[in-house]
Amino acid sequence: MGDFRNWSRRAVLAAAVVSAAGLAAGAAAAEKVKVAAIYTLPVEQQWISRIHAALNEAQARGDIEYTYSENVANTDYERVMREYSEAGQQLIVGEVFGLERAARKVAADYPDTAFLMGSSFGAVKPNFAVFDNWIHEPSYLTGMIAGHATESNVIGMVGGYAIPEVNRLMNAFMDGARDVNPEVKFLVNFIDSWYDPPKAKESAFAMMDAGADIMYAERFGVSDAAVERGVKAIGNVIDTSQDYPDTILASAIWNMEPTINEAVAAVAEGRFKAADYGQFSFMSYGGGALVADPDLVPAEVMDEVGAKERDILDGMFRVNVNDAAPASDK
């Protein structure tokens, strides 16, 4: 082979194109993994939308054949799991909060089917793996931004349910805000619903009336209230800044692609096993990310946040994981 130092840039690019073409041909020849997803809410719901987007991306690449059911009631969930298993789906993805025992029973009955389920509990051999949106790291960073931004030193937080998956993100956000602003106080409320924008909006208005000038929008409806009152908000899971211009300071983003890609590869290679896939939502895997509006967040604050983000990625700072339900400051 000739001296690589004499290769032209064009030759290198041409070689890369040929290599990519060969890989694409090999991928096309490989059998696609059959994947089914079961969702208890519409695919537009923020948490579920991230799973749906990752699976659609895998399908667009040609890695999987994807089908799904949305708005599945808890009482129907076990039946739908069994139907997909009987139909020969190789990987079944979903969320089983509130029906853990039933889901694990189905998995035990179909040991040759891979299950990857959002869960508050652990994996179980041989085929029931779990995941969650472990985006506590970018949540901490958004807290830093909020702590600097508040002028009243009162931040409002509206959550869905006080479950570990929500609590740890809210607690991380609060830690980040307090670390840069020890004077900040929090108003916290859970609306006991995953999707009730009017109720979330009403709760947000009450917090603003009590002095909150920054809102943590864990649920839909909070940012709408923020727009109406002219206060700023922090997003969660998805980036809604285009929907709420001049309102969303920053968001902690959940990218489900690393989790889905690893699970699909494991099934395709015959190495899928019961495991906790939570780590793939960490920032180091690309599963968690921070987005911030440079027009709303001062450069010096972004520099401070950027330095903390580097410490997280370098393993020099660990965001505390606290699953306890957060409460308003007295």
Side-chain angles (χ1 to χ4, degrees):
M1 181 177 290
D3 188 341
F4 71 87
R5 291 171 295 184
N6 294 325
W7 282 27
S8 68
R9 180 173 180 272
R10 181 175 295 176
V12 171
L13 289 173
V17 169
V18 171
S19 176
L23 288 173
E31 185 176 347
K32 296 178 182 179
V33 175
K34 295 180 179 179
V35 181
I38 311 170
Y39 305 121
T40 58
L41 293 168
V43 292
E44 291 81 13
Q45 191 265 355
Q46 63 212 78
W47 197 88
I48 287 171
S49 73
R50 307 309 294 152
I51 308 170
H52 186 57
L55 288 167
N56 276 324
E57 182 179 298
Q59 178 167 249
R61 287 197 309 267
D63 294 345
I64 67 173
E65 292 180 7
Y66 174 43
T67 186
Y68 67 92
S69 298
E70 59 183 334
N71 287 317
V72 177
N74 281 5
T75 52
D76 290 332
Y77 206 95
E78 180 177 353
R79 174 184 58 78
V80 177
M81 285 181 72
R82 291 186 182 279
E83 289 177 353
Y84 277 136
S85 299
E86 291 287 347
Q89 298 295 329
Q90 296 166 275
L91 173 64
I92 298 177
V93 182
E95 83 280 15
V96 295
F97 309 106
L99 52 131
E100 296 275 0
R101 293 187 184 279
R104 290 160 193 269
K105 182 177 182 295
V106 174
D109 290 342
Y110 297 92
D112 294 329
T113 302
F115 293 86
L116 178 65
M117 295 291 178
S119 172
S120 299
F121 299 97
V124 61
K125 295 179 180 180
N127 60 331
F128 191 92
V130 296
F131 70 88
D132 198 4
N133 62 331
W134 288 84
I135 55 171
H136 55 297
E137 295 166 328
S139 294
Y140 176 94
L141 299 177
T142 63
M144 293 177 64
I145 291 171
H148 280 298
T150 180
E151 296 179 359
S152 66
N153 285 332
V154 179
I155 296 177
M157 305 184 71
V158 179
Y161 289 95
I163 64 172
E165 292 72 21
V166 174
N167 298 343
R168 71 174 68 108
L169 305 187
M170 296 176 74
N171 282 317
F173 170 85
M174 296 165 82
D175 287 345
R178 288 179 176 132
D179 282 351
V180 300
N181 182 358
E183 301 302 316
V184 72
K185 302 294 182 184
F186 294 94
L187 301 173
V188 180
N189 185 44
F190 293 93
I191 62 172
D192 293 331
S193 172
W194 291 129
Y195 190 78
D196 191 342
K199 190 173 183 179
K201 190 175 182 180
E202 179 184 354
S203 179
F205 280 145
M207 292 178 179
M208 295 174 200
D209 290 341
D213 64 350
I214 304 289
M215 293 300 306
Y216 178 82
E218 202 273 326
R219 291 292 100 194
F220 283 141
V222 177
S223 294
D224 297 281
V227 169
E228 289 191 25
R229 292 289 181 89
V231 307
K232 304 305 182 188
I234 297 292
N236 180 60
V237 176
I238 59 176
D239 182 7
T240 58
S241 57
Q242 292 186 346
D243 298 323
Y244 302 100
D246 198 37
T247 297
I248 307 296
L249 294 172
S251 300
I253 305 301
W254 183 31
N255 298 317
M256 186 62 176
E257 286 77 6
T259 303
I260 290 297
N261 293 345
E262 172 60 24
V264 168
V267 172
E269 297 164 11
R271 57 178 176 84
F272 186 91
K273 61 181 180 180
D276 187 340
Y277 277 66
Q279 63 181 332
F280 295 102
S281 290
F282 282 37
M283 293 184 75
S284 60
Y285 285 90
L290 169 74
V291 294
D293 189 332
D295 294 328
L296 300 180
V297 183
E300 60 271 19
V301 173
M302 286 308 305
D303 288 343
E304 181 182 356
V305 171
K308 185 65 71 174
E309 181 177 7
R310 288 190 294 274
D311 284 344
I312 291 172
L313 293 173
D314 291 341
M316 299 300 294
F317 180 78
R318 181 174 293 177
V319 177
N320 184 44
V321 174
N322 181 0
D323 288 344
S328 299
D329 292 311
K330 296 180 180 180

